[in-house]
Amino acid sequence: MKITQRAINLIDGTDTYFTFAEAEECPICHAKIVGRCLSTVIWKRGITYYASVTNYCSGCCNVFINYYITNKNRNINSSSALYFIEKSLIKSAPEHFEKRIFEDSIKTVSPNFDIIYNQAKQSENMELNQIAGIGYHKSIEFLVKDFTIKYNPNDENKIKNMPLSSCIKKYIDDSRIKNLVEKAIWIDNNETYYVRQYEDKDIADMKKLIDVLVYFISMVLITEDTETI
């Protein structure tokens, strides 16, 4: 349902109103609710008008904010007040971060992979995309090196200190895992270096590679476990 709310005008202080659709979902608890509007603010950046509406969720008793792009309409009802109408909802904040849960076999072999991956995921969730890609690459390095150390414990210090590319060439025999890591390394060049070498590859491609890499390593670990049955 659309409502009209008196707004704080950060542009010039003119008496201002904003018409928008009430929030129907809380970004924190994801309850289907009608948010109780607490306050509304209008501001301008360049030639674009924006609005933020602070809401109260009766489900989790938290406060969240919806951000909108708006259209200005000065002369509604022949009033001297400014009227703004919702054009589009940009985002809601804060969003609840949902940690990715990996299989116990993966977390046992590489507990740091689980931590680093989810920190990168949280960075991406916060739109910190310039550092999320680096975090995903680091998670790959920990997973692959920890997996390699499991089967080569006498070379632990050597594996920890060698480049990832050298590690997979020397220690990884499974061609599927080796190819996945090699692809992840050259996609990582896009996220690390000043000049992007592959404009058609991004974080989404790296995450797909991680998904498949985790799958194959899990299969190796599961197969090893079943051999003891």
Side-chain angles (χ1 to χ4, degrees), residues 22-223:
E22 291 182 290
E24 295 181 348
E25 181 176 330
C26 172
I28 301 171
C29 70
H30 299 290
K32 300 297 181 182
I33 51 96
V34 175
R36 178 184 171 188
C37 177
L38 302 178
S39 65
T40 302
V41 178
I42 298 286
W43 75 95
K44 184 179 182 182
R45 184 180 299 154
I47 61 173
T48 305
Y49 292 95
Y50 297 91
S52 61
V53 177
T54 303
N55 300 279
Y56 171 76
C57 172
S58 58
C60 63
C61 300
N62 282 305
V63 171
F64 65 93
I65 303 174
N66 281 351
Y67 294 90
Y68 303 88
I69 293 177
T70 75
N71 285 331
K72 185 170 77 167
N73 212 328
R74 178 180 291 274
N75 295 316
I76 293 179
N77 298 327
S78 299
S79 171
S80 60
L82 289 177
Y83 285 82
F84 290 83
I85 301 174
E86 170 193 346
K87 183 177 180 182
S88 62
L89 174 65
I90 305 173
K91 66 176 182 179
S92 299
E95 292 186 18
H96 174 66
F97 172 66
E98 294 185 8
K99 181 180 177 181
R100 177 169 176 180
I101 305 300
F102 292 99
E103 293 183 8
D104 288 341
S105 58
I106 292 293
K107 291 189 288 187
T108 299
V109 168
S110 186
N112 282 319
F113 164 74
D114 175 48
I115 294 170
I116 297 166
Y117 180 95
N118 278 294
Q119 287 184 0
K121 184 175 184 287
Q122 188 166 13
S123 296
E124 185 184 9
N125 193 62
M126 296 170 65
E127 299 182 1
L128 302 177
N129 296 322
Q130 294 296 324
I131 62 174
I134 299 171
Y136 284 126
H137 171 76
K138 185 175 181 179
S139 74
I140 292 174
E141 181 161 355
F142 270 76
L143 176 60
V144 173
K145 287 190 174 182
D146 287 342
F147 176 71
T148 304
I149 289 169
K150 173 179 170 61
Y151 297 100
N152 302 274
N154 293 331
D155 291 346
E156 180 175 352
N157 288 331
K158 184 189 297 184
I159 292 168
K160 285 181 177 179
N161 289 288
M162 68 193 321
L164 182 58
S165 56
S166 300
C167 176
I168 61 173
K169 287 178 182 178
K170 182 174 177 61
Y171 293 100
I172 301 295
D173 295 325
D174 192 311
S175 61
R176 298 167 302 179
I177 294 176
K178 184 177 291 187
N179 289 337
L180 287 168
V181 178
E182 287 175 346
K183 288 180 180 179
I185 289 172
W186 59 255
I187 289 178
D188 175 62
N189 290 340
N190 276 355
E191 307 302 329
T192 306
Y193 297 143
Y194 194 98
V195 178
R196 294 181 67 87
Q197 299 181 12
Y198 309 98
E199 292 296 338
D200 61 333
K201 302 299 179 183
D202 57 18
I203 289 176
D205 296 293
M206 184 179 291
K207 288 166 64 179
K208 289 177 184 176
L209 290 174
I210 293 175
D211 288 344
V212 182
L213 180 62
V214 167
Y215 170 78
F216 280 128
I217 289 180
S218 295
M219 290 302 100
V220 172
L221 297 172
I222 291 171
T223 300

